């Protein structure tokens, strides 16, 4: 069964450094998302991406964050200057919602990247 | 998103059916009910979704009341591997952000 894959599984970075988290969504999906989960807390939405642009973002997704789909398969989340509070699990998701399909297609998640900021 | 209410925790004996309830009394006519689960710190896993008819797939069954104000996720024969936090979510549409609450922590006991 197709799945969303994320790399690396664990990333350790010094505070202030840039980090890029990578995701390969399910191949025919059109909508892409990033969520994060701070240890012991709820899963929180960061950003959604469709047709090569951000379609929605949360208050968490400030100027330090950016997303990109550099080619036909990868979807990346960049944090420009990491802070201690960016330490969390970051989940990528994708869905098949679009003009070809009905609007109720579910989002499918990867297993996440654990980001640890020192 | 329609607000959902779930019990914080439930226990279920291995091999028995697990019935997880969810209230979503403010749901509107075209909003679907989605169920996800999260095993330990893995990514949320999609289980099932429905609008008004009962749904069944290889993982679970979803029963939605006629007034659509509540639903029940049924795992017909729970195993230890079904121990997880289960989330009932009612987004505006399939591609809008999912709002995760605290969910129900299901413990399957041998």
């Amino acid at each position: 069964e197709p799945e969303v894959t994320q790399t690396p599984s664990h990333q350790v970075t010094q505070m202030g450094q840039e980090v890029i988290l990578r995701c390969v969504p399910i191949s025919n999906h059109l909508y892409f998302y990033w969520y994060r989960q701070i240890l012991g807390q709820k899963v929180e939405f960061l950003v959604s991406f469709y047709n090569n642009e951000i379609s929605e973002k949360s208050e968490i997704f400030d100027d330090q964050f950016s997303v990109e789909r550099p080619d036909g398969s990868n979807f990346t989340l960049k944090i420009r200057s990491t802070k201690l509070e960016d330490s969390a699990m970051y989940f990528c998701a994708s869905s098949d919602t679009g003009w070809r399909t009905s609007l109720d297609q579910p989002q499918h998640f990867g297993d996440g990247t654990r980001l640890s900021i020192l | 998103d329609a607000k959902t209410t779930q019990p914080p925790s439930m226990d279920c004996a291995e091999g028995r059916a697990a019935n997880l309830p969810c209230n979503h009394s403010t749901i509107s006519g075209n909003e679907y009910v989605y169920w996800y689960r999260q095993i330990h710190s893995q990514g949320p896993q999609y289980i099932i979704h429905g609008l008004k008819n009962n749904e069944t797939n290889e993982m679970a069954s979803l029963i939605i009341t006629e007034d659509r104000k509540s639903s029940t996720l049924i795992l017909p024969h729970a195993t230890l591997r079904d121990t997880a936090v289960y989330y009932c979510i009612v987004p505006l549409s399939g591609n809008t952000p999912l709002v995760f609450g605290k969910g129900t922590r299901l413990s399957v006991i041998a």
Side-chain angles (χ1 to χ4, degrees):
Chain A
E1 184 172 321
E3 57 183 26
V4 175
T5 57
Q6 292 187 242
T7 55
S9 56
H10 191 189
Q11 174 80 46
V12 182
T13 302
Q14 291 287 331
M15 186 172 58
Q17 295 296 305
E18 174 184 286
V19 66
I20 297 175
L21 309 182
R22 292 182 165 80
C23 169
V24 179
I26 295 173
S27 64
N28 61 337
H29 284 189
L30 300 176
Y31 260 93
F32 314 111
Y33 314 81
W34 283 101
Y35 292 79
R36 80 171 186 190
Q37 186 175 32
I38 295 171
L39 186 63
Q41 298 187 22
K42 300 176 188 177
V43 177
E44 302 173 287
F45 167 75
L46 293 178
V47 65
S48 59
F49 192 85
Y50 174 72
N51 201 26
N52 284 318
E53 60 183 25
I54 290 174
S55 56
E56 207 165 337
K57 61 182 181 180
S58 71
E59 291 180 353
I60 303 168
F61 193 87
D62 62 21
D63 291 345
Q64 293 300 311
F65 291 88
S66 62
V67 289
E68 192 177 35
R69 187 153 163 83
D71 53 42
S73 60
N74 290 286
F75 179 53
T76 62
L77 174 69
K78 182 194 289 186
I79 308 174
R80 258 178 276 281
S81 178
T82 50
K83 303 188 282 285
L84 293 175
E85 53 264 38
D86 294 327
S87 295
M89 284 290 292
Y90 287 81
F91 298 111
C92 174
S94 68
S95 70
D96 194 20
T97 309
W99 62 271
R100 302 178 288 108
T101 62
S102 57
L103 291 177
D104 66 311
Q105 298 302 305
Q107 298 176 29
H108 295 272
F109 288 75
D111 275 337
T113 293
R114 179 174 301 282
L115 178 63
S116 300
I117 307 300
L118 304 180
Chain B
D1 293 19
K3 180 175 169 56
T4 62
T5 304
Q6 299 178 252
S9 63
M10 293 181 66
D11 292 337
C12 178
E14 189 178 21
R16 305 298 294 267
N19 297 283
L20 293 97
C22 178
N23 287 321
H24 32 78
S25 58
T26 61
I27 194 170
S28 64
N30 58 352
E31 290 176 333
Y32 285 73
V33 181
Y34 293 78
W35 282 83
Y36 285 80
R37 72 181 182 183
Q38 189 174 26
I39 297 172
H40 196 40
S41 287
Q42 295 177 22
Q45 179 188 22
Y46 165 74
I47 302 173
I48 198 167
H49 73 287
L51 182 63
K52 52 186 174 182
N53 297 320
N54 298 337
E55 302 287 345
T56 295
N57 63 19
E58 65 279 3
M59 290 183 68
S61 294
L62 175 60
I63 308 297
I64 302 173
T65 57
E66 195 168 336
D67 64 8
R68 302 210 324 119
K69 293 184 177 182
S70 65
S71 60
T72 300
L73 178 75
I74 301 172
L75 308 178
H77 305 286
T79 70
L80 298 178
R81 287 177 294 180
D82 292 321
T83 292
V85 179
Y86 287 77
Y87 300 98
C88 166
I89 301 173
V90 181
L92 283 174
S93 69
N95 59 348
T96 56
L98 298 176
V99 177
F100 288 82
K102 294 183 179 179
T104 295
R105 182 172 298 278
L106 175 69
S107 299
V108 180
I109 302 165

